[in-house]
């Protein structure tokens, strides 16, 4: 089951990478008023269904992929979740 | 002979490169990334460090700077260009050298002296022959050289691989440590020749590459 | 008085009732909330050294080399040739426990700023680290991420990391210690001061924008009616941005080169609140600050948030109005934001405005000079015993003990750490880390400095006074092993809660011991930092003073290394300091305990030993020198062999594994031994054996060189990565 | 106009970071047969409409945010694009 976890810096947390990219976009003539940089993880989990995959991915995101003090995450199934 | 050393925000080894150039008897010229000419220098070093903090991809943001346009021009005219570590990353990102440098396979920054096996005779390596070893330190987080198989074949066939690691410190494909462009006048390597020029600090094998840079600049100048 | 859930505001901010009363007295009125926040931070342990200031007075702080003693961002000594060296060590313990990578990274960033605030170019970083035992996954994680964070910042900012130390003890499990030291070099005549001067001059803030970082406890002040989730906007973790840090260094040094700056101060703990009050206080002037001029990262920041934010990578400077355009131009070139946020006044008051409205008005000396200073209660902890008590374990053959020690996390090679650090940038590293002290040439001068950072929590736990002495002796001895003359001390005092009498005792005794040693060795203390309240569930860390020593070497080419050199060289033990197994690595690894009492260092003998080493190095009589430290003589000899990649044969020795001060393993050419003996004067020289062969043989303990290297170098990689 | 650019390692390209995550998940008892790690950039572009934003972000992604030798990207508007 394929799931995507996206991890982003929390609002208010300094994002030096985003800021460096923003400045250089400015230098190249692009008008970007804000850039935030995060991480994306595509997980292929050996679980029964997409719903379970999302649940497990959430736990993984919390425990391993992000630091809740500075980051927030969201989880999306790559196949539609049947509720 | 004067040698331009580029400086980007976040360059760290630019001062070391300037010092090494002076030690080799050439005149170092510091070129700021926002400058659009190389101050008349006949050769360029793109130095190590963390230009733009290595944010995004190492070398990616520096490759877009005005000074790099001037480097491109010099390279097109046959002038020698040497990229060291971050400078190697900049030159690959700028398309002046083949391949790309990715995070070390072990994902750690690695500082150590490495032994390098010379692959062939080259203007970059005056006085050494294939099979010789050089000792030069590496220090990087993203030094894992990568090129697609087809491209690797081309590089090998054209003799563009100058140095390979004896013990691979970073996972580089085929132990590649140093490559040139097809014309041979642009070279990049992860090890730091500018840190291997002073016997008090360790090996002096870095002088060989710097001498190669100077020799080529003199030859190009004489040809004009 | 405003209250939150019936707790008086001042208490929520960490001020005692008496302190609050005192503030009212000093102001002759009620402080408003903004002012109370500023007081609560400036009067905190962290800024005011409430419990340690009086004790610190014991340190000698003057000497002929001292250009700047304690009281500025860093201490500065004259090293000759028109050069001066700035040094300071600081803790970042708590942030590293919460977020090890960013905590360690910002720790390095912070100490760098203290150094270039003195006008010095940072040339070396050292890090002193302590964690719990590595058999727990959590501790391996902390260790790995802290090392990565230290490396990340230092490597990116382009300052060589040349030393430090790591200890593992269960007692640090919940309170890891991350102390970072930085050394910088500057022209001796360009010493920079933080003292603001010249009424009418401008206060300029440059560097990163200000966010809601590190508002911490003061967030009780936030106005009510904030939208949901506003807490999330007050990050308790700071993000290190070495890229901006690097630009700040280069930009600052260029501003100083151009003579554009009157005074300079970094923004650290308590942000603008502490830097503005320190600048005003040390210059004896006032400052008017317009908080609405401060560039902020987020909308809607309240004045107190801007005032106390601890956002990283910011500097404050006083500049003359006529220099402002030039200052702005330099900052623009380095892509560093710079803003005029205030001006120097004659009022002696720190006055803050926001949108034209006055939000606070405090006489500067009430924040600094008038801050409370307490006498700590002291009571000798019951655990301390009178005499040394420990004997070798008859059941463990010496050879097995040597093997176990070489592979023990506390004794084994630190290369797993140091290979993650750039040791060479700056082209000055003549002696790299791994031996005793590293040596850095002050290129282009031939002169060099040797630097070491040391402490020993286990030994200090057994005897705080002797442990304090020993920390100074060890750091200085490490420096002396390179042939350098120890010149100055910086220190970081990591202790538990000083309001407990046993901790008060430890603190006072350790400081007393350090001060005695500094005096005896002629070493002024020029800077330092105190980290108290390191405890968990009422259990404190062992008293852990960490000592940084800088020494001077007139010619970098004279530097001596730890490793043996050539077949046939004679191995000698210089010094005859007392040793014991109490508190030793042997006791911990083989006997599984820490008990007894460590020997008292002989300070006079220590001083003679250092002088001898410098003299011998100056005459090129030393082939190698290596301090006898953790693991005792057996491990010291083995380390010298491994560092030189050559075997050694040492005959019978009385004490293989005991630890103590005042001993160094040296080697010399056979022909030079007589000259060395003559030079040694009062320093005992005992012939141990000779260099050569492929085996390390120390008395009954023998091990093949290659096997020793495998145990010693492989230990940490195996623990951390399950491989080499 | 807010746009999100996601940059992922190309199929077939070794991804040591993803692999390291996969191994540590395994160590924690999660059954992940594959993990790939990439980056995500949230751009706030000063352009007229979402469609234009996607176009500009595509150029930025190609020129700056990704290296075509090893990475591929996709672009998504954070507001619905009216075609
Ligand atoms: N253990 C110590 N020994 C000597 N001086 C110390 C010690 N601890 C702190 N100091 C001095 O007290 C002053 C304030 O220290 P600190 O608050 O850490 O400085 P900063 O504000 O630069 O972070 C500094 O000048 C420092 O050198
Ligand atoms: Mg300071």
């Amino acid at each position: 089951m394929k799931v995507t976890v996206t991890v982003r810096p929390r609002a208010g947390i300094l994002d030096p990478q985003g800021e460096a990219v923003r400045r250089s976009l400015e230098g190249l003539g692009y008008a970007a008023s804000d850039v935030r940089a995060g991480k994306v993880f595509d997980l292929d989990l050996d679980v029964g269904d997409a719903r379970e995959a999302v649940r497990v991915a959430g736990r993984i995101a919390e425990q391993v992929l992000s630091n809740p003090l500075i980051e927030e995450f969201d989880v999306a199934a790559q196949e539609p979740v049947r509720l | 002979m004067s040698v331009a050393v580029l400086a980007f925000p976040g360059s760290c080894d630019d001062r070391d490169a300037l010092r090494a150039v002076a030690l080799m008897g050439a005149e170092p010229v510091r070129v700021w990334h926002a400058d659009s000419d190389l101050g008349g220098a006949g050769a360029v070093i793109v130095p190590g460090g963390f230009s733009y903090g290595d944010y995004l991809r190492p070398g990616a943001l520096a490759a877009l700077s005005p000074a790099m346009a001037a480097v491109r021009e010099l390279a097109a005219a046959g002038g020698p260009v040497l990229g060291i570590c971050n400078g190697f990353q900049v030159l690959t990102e700028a398309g002046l050298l083949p391949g790309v440098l990715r995070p070390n396979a072990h994902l750690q920054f690695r500082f150590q002296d490495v032994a390098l096996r010379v692959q062939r005779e080259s203007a970059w390596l005056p006085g050494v022959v294939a099979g010789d070893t050089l000792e030069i330190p590496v220090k990087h987080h993203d030094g894992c050289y990568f090129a697609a198989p087809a491209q690797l074949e081309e590089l090998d066939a054209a003799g563009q691989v100058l140095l390979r690691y004896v013990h691979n410190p970073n996972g580089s494909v085929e132990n590649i440590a140093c490559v040139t462009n097809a014309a041979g006048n642009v070279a990049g390597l992860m090890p730091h020749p500018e840190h291997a020029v002073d016997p008090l600090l360790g090996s002096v094998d870095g002088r060989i590459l710097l001498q190669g840079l100077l020799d080529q600049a003199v030859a190009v100048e004489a040809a004009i | 008085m405003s209250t939150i859930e019936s707790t008086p505001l001042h208490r929520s901010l960490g001020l005692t009732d008496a302190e609050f009363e005192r503030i009212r007295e000093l102001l002759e009125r009620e402080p408003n909330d903004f002012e109370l926040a500023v007081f609560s931070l400036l009067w905190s342990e962290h800024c005011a050294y409430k419990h340690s200031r009086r004790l610190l007075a014991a340190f000698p702080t003057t000497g002929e080399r001292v250009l700047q003693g304690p009281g500025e961002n860093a201490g500065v000594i004259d090293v000759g040739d028109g050069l001066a060296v700035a040094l300071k060590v600081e803790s970042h313990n708590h942030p590293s426990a919460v977020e090890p990578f960013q905590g360690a990274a910002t720790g390095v960033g912070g100490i760098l700023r203290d150094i270039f605030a003195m006008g010095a170019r940072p040339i070396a970083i050292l890090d002193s680290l302590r964690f719990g035992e590595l058999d727990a996954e959590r501790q391996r994680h902390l260790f790995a991420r802290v090392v990565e964070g230290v490396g990340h910042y230092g490597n990116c900012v382009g300052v060589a990391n040349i030393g430090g130390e790591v200890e593992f003890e269960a007692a640090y499990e919940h309170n890891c210690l991350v102390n970072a030291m930085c050394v910088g070099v500057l022209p001796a005549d360009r010493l920079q001061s933080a003292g603001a001067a010249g009424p009418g001059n401008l206060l300029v803030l440059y560097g990163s924008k200000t966010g809601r970082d590190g508002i911490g406890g003061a967030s009780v002040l936030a106005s009510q009616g904030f939208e949901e989730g506003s807490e999330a906007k007050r990050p308790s973790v700071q993000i290190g941005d070495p890229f901006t840090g690097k630009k700040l260094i280069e930009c600052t040094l260029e501003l100083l080169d151009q003579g554009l700056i009157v005074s300079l101060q970094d923004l650290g703990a308590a942000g603008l609140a502490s830097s503005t009050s320190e600048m005003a206080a040390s210059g004896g002037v006032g400052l008017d600050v317009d908080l609405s001029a401060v560039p902020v990262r987020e909308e809607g920041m309240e004045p107190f948030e801007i005032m106390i934010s601890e956002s990283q990578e910011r500097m404050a400077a006083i500049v003359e109005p006529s220099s402002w355009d030039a200052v702005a131009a330099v900052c623009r070139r380095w892509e560093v934001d710079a803003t005029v946020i205030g001006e120097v006044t004659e009022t002696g008051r720190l006055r803050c405005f926001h949108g034209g409205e006055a939000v606070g008005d405090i006489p500067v000396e009430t924040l600094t000079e008038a801050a409370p200073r307490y006498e700590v209660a002291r009571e000798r902890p019951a655990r301390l015993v009178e005499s040394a008590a420990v004997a070798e374990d008859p059941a463990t053959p010496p050879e097995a003990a040597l093997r176990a020690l070489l592979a023990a996390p506390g004794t084994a090679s630190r290369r797993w750490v140091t290979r993650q650090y750039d040791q060479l940038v700056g082209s000055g590293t003549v002696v790299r880390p791994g031996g005793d002290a590293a040596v850095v040439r002050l290129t282009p001068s031939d002169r060099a400095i040797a630097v070491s950072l040391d402490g020993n929590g286990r030994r200090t736990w057994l005897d705080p006074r002797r442990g304090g002495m020993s920390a100074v002796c060890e750091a200085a001895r490490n420096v002396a092993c390179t042939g350098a003359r120890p010149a100055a001390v910086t220190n970081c005092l990591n202790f538990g809660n000083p309001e407990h009498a046993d901790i008060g005792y430890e603190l006072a005794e350790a400081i007393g011991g350090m001060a005695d040693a500094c005096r005896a060795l002629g070493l002024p203390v020029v800077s330092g930092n105190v980290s108290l309240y390191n405890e968990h569930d009422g259990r404190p860390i062992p008293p852990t003073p960490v000592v940084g020593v800088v020494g001077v070497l007139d010619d970098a080419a004279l530097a001596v290394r730890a490793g043996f050199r050539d077949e046939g060289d004679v191995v000698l033990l210089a010094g005859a300091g007392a040793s014991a197994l109490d508190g030793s690595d042997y006791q911990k690894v083989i006997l599984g305990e820490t008990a007894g009492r460590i020997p008292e260092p002989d300070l006079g003998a220590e001083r003679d030993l250092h002088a001898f080493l410098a003299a011998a190095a100056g005459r090129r009589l030393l082939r190698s020198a290596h301090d006898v430290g953790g693991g005792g003589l057996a491990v010291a000899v083995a380390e010298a062999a491994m560092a030189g990649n050559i075997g050694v044969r040492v005959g019978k020795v009385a004490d293989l594994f005991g630890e103590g001060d005042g001993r160094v393993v040296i080697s010399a050419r056979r022909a030079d031994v007589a000259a060395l003996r003559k030079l040694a004067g009062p320093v005992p020289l005992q012939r141990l054996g000779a260099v050569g062969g492929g085996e390390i043989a120390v008395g009954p303990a023998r091990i093949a060189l290659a096997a020793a290297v495998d145990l010693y170098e492989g230990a940490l990689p195996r623990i951390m990565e399950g491989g080499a």
Side-chain angles (χ1 to χ4, degrees), chain A, chain B, chain C:
Chain A
M1 283 294 145
K2 297 194 174 177
V3 204
T4 298
V5 176
T6 313
V7 179
R8 294 180 160 92
R10 278 189 188 281
I13 288 279
L14 184 72
D15 174 19
Q17 186 180 355
E19 179 57 18
V21 171
R22 194 194 61 73
R23 269 184 198 263
S24 69
L25 290 183
E26 214 172 64
L28 292 168
Y30 293 106
S33 57
D34 190 38
V35 178
R36 304 283 284 174
K39 283 175 274 188
V40 56
F41 298 91
D42 296 322
L43 310 177
D44 193 346
L45 298 175
D46 305 336
V47 295
D49 61 27
R51 203 168 153 188
E52 171 71 358
V54 167
R55 214 182 49 74
V56 172
R59 279 219 316 272
I60 291 176
E62 213 176 317
Q63 205 185 332
V64 183
L65 301 179
S66 74
N67 178 342
L69 289 173
I70 49 179
E71 292 165 328
E72 56 197 11
F73 64 85
D74 55 59
V75 179
Q78 282 175 26
E79 285 150 62
V81 181
R82 251 159 282 135
L83 294 179
Chain B
M1 175 51 57
S2 66
V3 176
V5 175
L6 300 197
F8 303 98
S11 291
C12 296
D13 303 308
D14 50 329
R15 287 151 40 88
D16 302 75
L18 290 164
R19 197 177 286 144
V21 166
L23 209 78
M24 298 297 297
E27 189 198 333
V29 184
R30 190 162 187 274
V31 172
W32 186 238
H33 70 107
D35 296 347
S36 41
D37 71 87
L38 301 174
V44 185
I45 294 177
V46 189
F50 290 78
S51 57
Y52 299 94
D54 267 8
Y55 297 135
L56 193 55
R57 289 182 313 284
L61 299 179
L64 302 167
S65 67
M68 279 306 295
V71 171
R72 238 179 257 280
E73 258 173 54
L74 182 84
V81 176
L82 179 63
I84 302 171
C85 192
N86 192 229
F88 187 9
Q89 295 159 343
V90 174
L91 294 177
T92 57
E93 283 286 346
L96 287 169
L97 285 175
V100 57
L101 291 140
R102 308 192 54 222
N104 294 346
H106 45 68
L107 296 174
Q108 282 181 6
F109 184 95
R110 183 59 53 84
F111 166 86
Q112 72 186 77
D113 287 320
V114 296
L116 302 163
R117 176 90 4 98
V118 174
Q119 299 301 300
R120 64 180 196 80
E121 283 179 39
S122 153
W124 285 103
L125 300 166
V128 301
V129 297
D132 283 357
T133 50
L134 308 182
E135 190 166 303
I136 299 182
V138 292
K139 41 172 222 183
H140 57 246
H141 184 279
D142 298 72
C144 175
Y145 186 76
F146 174 82
Q151 197 173 19
L152 280 175
E153 258 172 53
E154 270 174 47
L155 294 182
D156 282 330
Q160 285 175 246
V161 179
L162 288 191
L163 298 168
R164 294 185 203 269
Y165 301 107
V166 175
H167 301 289
N168 195 332
N170 53 29
S172 288
V173 61
E174 293 184 0
N175 302 320
I176 291 174
C178 174
V179 297
T180 70
N181 61 349
N185 64 317
V186 179
L189 77 169
M190 289 314 294
H192 286 258
E194 84 284 19
H195 285 322
V197 294
D198 182 344
L200 198 56
L201 273 57
S203 160
V204 292
D205 290 348
R207 288 172 173 243
I208 295 168
L209 278 137
L210 297 175
Q211 192 60 54
L213 178 81
L214 295 176
D215 290 353
Q216 292 178 76
V218 170
V220 171
E221 201 158 82
I224 303 172
Chain C
M1 189 192 316
S2 35
T3 59
I4 306 271
E5 287 168 7
S6 81
T7 303
L9 180 59
H10 68 264
R11 277 199 219 151
S12 317
L13 290 171
L15 290 164
T16 65
D17 294 349
E19 287 167 349
F20 180 62
E21 264 322 303
R22 180 80 183 123
I23 291 167
R24 291 212 291 212
E25 253 173 64
L26 287 167
L27 289 183
E28 296 169 356
R29 62 176 166 82
E30 290 285 324
N32 65 27
D33 288 1
F34 177 93
E35 292 164 339
L36 202 55
V38 171
F39 269 104
S40 75
L41 286 158
L42 270 285
W43 282 22
S44 71
E45 186 61 44
H46 199 90
C47 290
Y49 290 83
K50 285 192 281 206
H51 293 93
S52 55
R53 180 66 79 205
R54 292 187 174 174
L55 298 172
L56 294 176
F59 286 143
T61 57
T62 55
E64 60 189 56
R65 287 192 187 276
V66 178
L67 299 178
Q68 177 64 61
E72 279 275 350
N73 288 305
V76 182
I77 59 167
D78 190 331
V79 295
D81 274 359
L83 295 173
V85 160
L87 58 148
K88 166 130 187 215
V89 58
E90 204 162 63
S91 66
H92 226 221
N93 302 335
H94 184 66
S96 303
V98 177
E99 215 302 315
F101 177 86
Q102 297 294 351
T106 50
V108 170
I111 194 65
L112 281 161
R113 283 193 295 282
D114 272 332
I115 295 303
F116 67 81
M118 299 307 294
R121 173 175 284 280
I123 59 166
I125 295 165
L126 297 91
D127 55 312
S128 162
L129 313 177
R130 284 172 177 76
F131 306 95
E133 299 290 355
L134 290 181
D135 31 30
E137 160 65 24
R138 170 82 191 148
Q139 300 305 315
R140 292 196 296 273
H141 170 77
L142 285 174
F143 177 34
R145 292 294 283 168
V146 163
V147 167
E148 217 179 318
V150 169
H152 170 67
Y153 205 105
N155 296 337
C156 288
V157 87
V159 178
N161 186 307
I162 58 155
E165 51 160 3
V166 195
E167 278 191 332
F168 308 101
E169 292 295 332
Y172 298 110
E173 204 172 284
H174 299 282
N175 292 277
C176 63
L177 301 186
V178 176
N179 293 181
M181 172 173 171
C182 184
V183 178
V185 61
L186 69 154
D189 57 8
R190 202 190 69 187
L191 192 55
Q192 199 57 42
S193 150
N201 282 345
L202 307 176
L203 171 62
V204 174
L205 180 66
Y206 65 101
S208 284
K209 289 191 170 63
T210 299
R212 287 192 173 97
D213 311 279
I215 306 292
S219 61
V220 293
L221 283 176
S223 40
Q224 309 302 315
F226 243 131
E227 73 278 24
E228 258 311 273
S230 67
E231 267 319 297
K233 289 196 180 157
R234 295 210 177 75
S236 55
V237 172
Q238 317 246 15
I239 306 295
D241 180 6
F243 173 51
T244 301
K246 170 70 173 169
K247 293 194 294 181
L248 267 192
I249 294 176
E250 300 300 337
C251 175
T252 299
L253 294 175
E254 190 167 327
L255 291 169
L256 291 168
D257 282 344
Q258 295 189 20
L260 296 172
I261 285 182
V262 176
S263 66
L264 193 57
Q265 167 73 34
D266 65 304
L267 275 76
L272 271 174
S274 78
S275 53
T276 52
S277 42
E278 278 169 28
M279 289 176 100
S282 58
V285 294
L287 277 173
D288 282 359
V289 184
D290 178 8
L291 294 169
S292 43
V294 172
V296 291
R297 214 163 66 216
E298 293 158 70
E299 282 162 30
M301 283 182 68
E302 299 192 38
F304 88 91
E305 291 180 308
I306 298 171
M307 189 67 172
I308 68 174
S309 157
E310 295 185 347
S311 287
Q312 301 285 308
E313 339 296 358
R314 298 180 300 162
M315 298 291 287
I318 302 294
V319 308
E320 286 172 13
S322 60
S323 307
W324 165 241
D325 288 343
V327 169
V330 170
C331 290
R332 238 188 336 269
R333 200 171 102 82
W334 282 103
E335 300 175 14
V336 164
D337 296 329
T339 317
V340 175
I341 62 160
E343 74 175 59
V344 180
T345 68
E346 283 168 333
T347 59
R349 307 179 79 86
L350 179 59
R351 294 190 302 198
C352 298
F353 303 87
H354 192 265
E357 232 171 87
V359 292
D361 180 356
I362 312 175
V364 168
E365 79 278 7
T366 63
L367 290 170
T368 54
E369 285 309 295
R373 300 281 141 78
Y374 301 120
E375 203 67 61
V376 294
R378 310 169 200 183
E379 188 187 307
R380 190 167 190 276
R383 70 169 188 275
L384 301 181
V385 300
E386 287 305 324
S387 53
V390 187
E392 272 181 38
D393 175 19
T396 309
E399 190 169 307
L402 178 57
R403 284 173 184 276
L405 281 168
L406 290 176
T411 319
S413 166
R414 266 66 188 121
R415 196 186 307 272
W416 184 83
V417 176
T418 58
R419 75 185 185 190
Q420 299 189 49
Y421 301 152
D422 181 346
Q423 304 172 11
L424 286 189
V425 59
S427 298
T429 313
V430 175
V431 177
R432 300 180 189 178
D436 296 296
V439 175
V440 184
R441 182 181 56 194
L442 304 176
T443 316
S445 160
D446 286 334
R447 228 155 242 277
I449 53 171
V451 194
S452 187
L453 182 61
D454 298 280
N456 188 320
R458 224 164 51 228
R459 288 164 52 80
T460 312
W461 165 258
L462 294 181
D463 189 322
R465 174 167 284 269
R466 292 179 180 179
M469 285 182 181
S470 179
V472 173
C473 290
E474 185 187 351
R477 193 167 58 248
N478 281 330
V479 161
C481 282
T482 67
R485 277 161 291 134
V489 162
T490 182
N491 71 97
C492 189
L493 302 170
N494 305 277
F495 284 74
N497 181 348
E499 294 161 49
H500 296 164
D502 51 343
I503 306 290
Y505 175 92
E506 291 176 357
L507 192 57
E509 286 293 300
I511 289 173
M514 293 165 75
D516 286 351
C518 286
R519 223 169 251 120
L521 299 179
L523 293 175
V525 176
V526 296
S527 60
N529 171 250
V530 176
S531 169
L532 303 178
Y533 301 97
N534 293 289
E535 61 171 27
H536 178 80
D537 271 351
R539 277 198 308 276
I541 60 165
T544 314
V546 170
V547 175
V549 168
V550 169
V552 180
L553 202 59
D554 293 336
D555 181 354
L558 292 174
V560 176
R561 292 168 174 76
F564 294 139
R565 301 274 285 278
D566 291 319
E567 183 90 33
D569 285 349
V570 176
V571 179
L572 301 137
L573 181 65
S579 62
L581 289 177
D582 305 58
S584 67
D585 286 4
Y586 180 97
Q587 186 186 31
K588 173 174 174 173
V589 173
I590 308 297
L591 305 172
E593 58 172 9
T594 295
R597 188 177 192 195
I598 63 171
E600 169 140 22
D602 180 337
L603 299 174
E606 190 76 46
R607 185 181 184 137
D608 292 342
L609 174 63
H610 302 177
F612 161 68
L613 291 167
R619 291 177 204 196
R620 299 181 189 271
L621 295 174
L622 294 180
R623 301 285 278 163
S624 72
H626 183 41
D627 168 43
V628 178
L633 187 59
V635 167
V637 168
E639 285 173 340
M642 291 186 284
N645 195 28
I646 186 166
V648 61
R649 288 175 309 277
V650 165
K652 244 180 94 154
V653 289
D655 170 22
L656 280 172
F657 301 111
E659 296 176 23
D661 290 282
R663 296 182 302 162
V664 172
V665 172
I666 62 175
S667 67
R669 288 187 195 85
R670 205 166 284 276
D672 289 336
V673 173
L676 267 181
R677 289 204 183 278
K678 214 151 148 203
L679 200 61
V683 177
L685 283 187
Q686 182 198 341
R687 190 178 189 122
L688 293 176
V691 174
E695 190 186 53
I696 297 167
V698 195
R702 311 167 80 93
I703 177 169
L705 181 61
V709 168
D710 182 62
L711 289 173
Y712 184 73
E713 293 294 343
L716 285 182
R718 275 189 281 267
I719 291 170
M720 297 305 292
E721 282 145 24

